[in-house]
Amino acid sequence: MTPNKPPSIDPRQVPVVQVDGHLPAVAASALAPQALRARFASPPVWQPELVAERKFLDRPPTHAAVLVPIVMRDAPTVLLTERPSHMSTHAGQIAFPGGKVDDTDANAVAAAQREAFEEVGLVPELVEVLGQLPIYTTGSAFLVTPVVALVQPGFVLQPNAQEVSDVFEVPLQFLMDPVNHRHHQLIWQGVQRHWLSMPYQDGAQERFIWGATAGMLRNFYRFLMA
């Protein structure tokens, strides 16, 4: 029987079974804005590595979209949010700006841009959409379309406290280097579960990127390395 509550797991406490230091990092030159534009304009033949988590909520699937905002700094970064602890799903987790696709949204791109504006105040005028990655299905039954975009620096964010407790940036080169990709696994309710984490030390604070966010970043890595 599929449970109706998400698993109460502290992912930091689950053993690391593998670190992918044997895989090459994406070259810094491939992370520059023009190189990313060219990759999406003429994408390679490739397969995503992670497409679906084991289900842990018994409910109808819901379409969602997230913005993968790559800030065009001298060394590009990815803008991420931390969800408040009161959220009904994925509380306290690191996430991309995003959410459910509404009936009023023309498509996943429109949904991702709307959600990014509503959650953190990122105005569409500063966002250059490059393309989409394959749908990632979460264990909570969200069918998530990642929309990758370049973001002009100089923005002023206005986080919505009901949906976001913090906003921060992580170097894209860190996320695209598998030496920082850690595999975790455990058996929960008789089912083996596996996920990635990419913990980033942000000054004195550890940003524990894991689960769906790490899975979509891993697919982005595979896309860039194909």
Side-chain angles (χ1 to χ4, degrees):
M1 178 177 177
T2 305
N4 290 313
K5 291 184 178 180
S8 55
I9 297 169
D10 181 354
R12 292 174 173 84
Q13 302 303 316
V14 177
V16 175
V17 295
Q18 180 180 317
V19 178
D20 284 342
H22 61 289
L23 295 175
V26 177
S29 59
L31 303 178
Q34 196 53 43
L36 293 173
R37 291 186 185 105
R39 171 62 49 139
F40 277 94
S42 182
V45 176
W46 74 291
Q47 292 292 329
E49 180 177 346
L50 303 170
V51 294
E53 300 172 352
R54 287 185 178 272
K55 192 174 181 181
F56 59 74
L57 283 182
D58 189 13
R59 65 180 186 186
T62 301
H63 283 277
V66 297
L67 195 70
V68 183
I70 300 172
V71 184
M72 292 187 288
R73 306 200 184 280
D74 291 341
T77 62
V78 176
L79 185 75
L80 292 164
T81 70
E82 183 173 331
R83 293 168 63 84
S85 57
H86 64 75
M87 301 294 280
S88 59
T89 57
H90 309 290
Q93 289 191 19
I94 305 300
F96 299 114
K100 291 189 293 185
V101 176
D102 288 346
D103 292 338
T104 54
D105 293 319
N107 48 39
V109 171
Q113 290 190 293
R114 174 185 56 76
E115 285 282 350
F117 178 71
E118 292 176 358
E119 286 188 5
V120 300
L122 189 60
V123 295
E125 291 78 12
L126 297 179
V127 176
E128 175 191 344
V129 173
L130 298 179
Q132 301 175 19
L133 296 176
I135 289 175
Y136 181 99
T137 302
T138 71
S140 51
F142 284 103
L143 280 60
V144 185
T145 298
V147 177
V148 182
L150 299 177
V151 178
Q152 293 283 350
F155 48 78
V156 177
L157 299 180
Q158 295 180 310
N160 179 344
Q162 293 300 309
E163 299 188 63
V164 174
S165 63
D166 199 5
V167 186
F168 59 96
E169 296 176 34
V170 176
L172 180 59
Q173 194 159 24
F174 173 91
L175 297 168
M176 294 297 103
D177 187 347
V179 74
N180 302 311
H181 297 183
R182 310 189 315 179
H183 296 258
H184 303 252
Q185 68 181 35
L186 87 167
I187 295 176
W188 184 77
Q189 289 200 341
V191 176
Q192 187 173 84
R193 299 181 183 272
H194 166 269
W195 64 83
L196 286 174
S197 72
M198 303 171 184
Y200 175 67
Q201 198 65 38
D202 185 9
Q205 185 172 2
E206 182 189 62
R207 307 290 192 174
F208 196 81
I209 304 162
W210 75 289
T213 303
M216 288 181 269
L217 286 167
R218 177 69 166 215
N219 286 343
F220 189 34
Y221 164 79
R222 292 297 190 187
F223 172 72
L224 295 178
M225 288 298 295

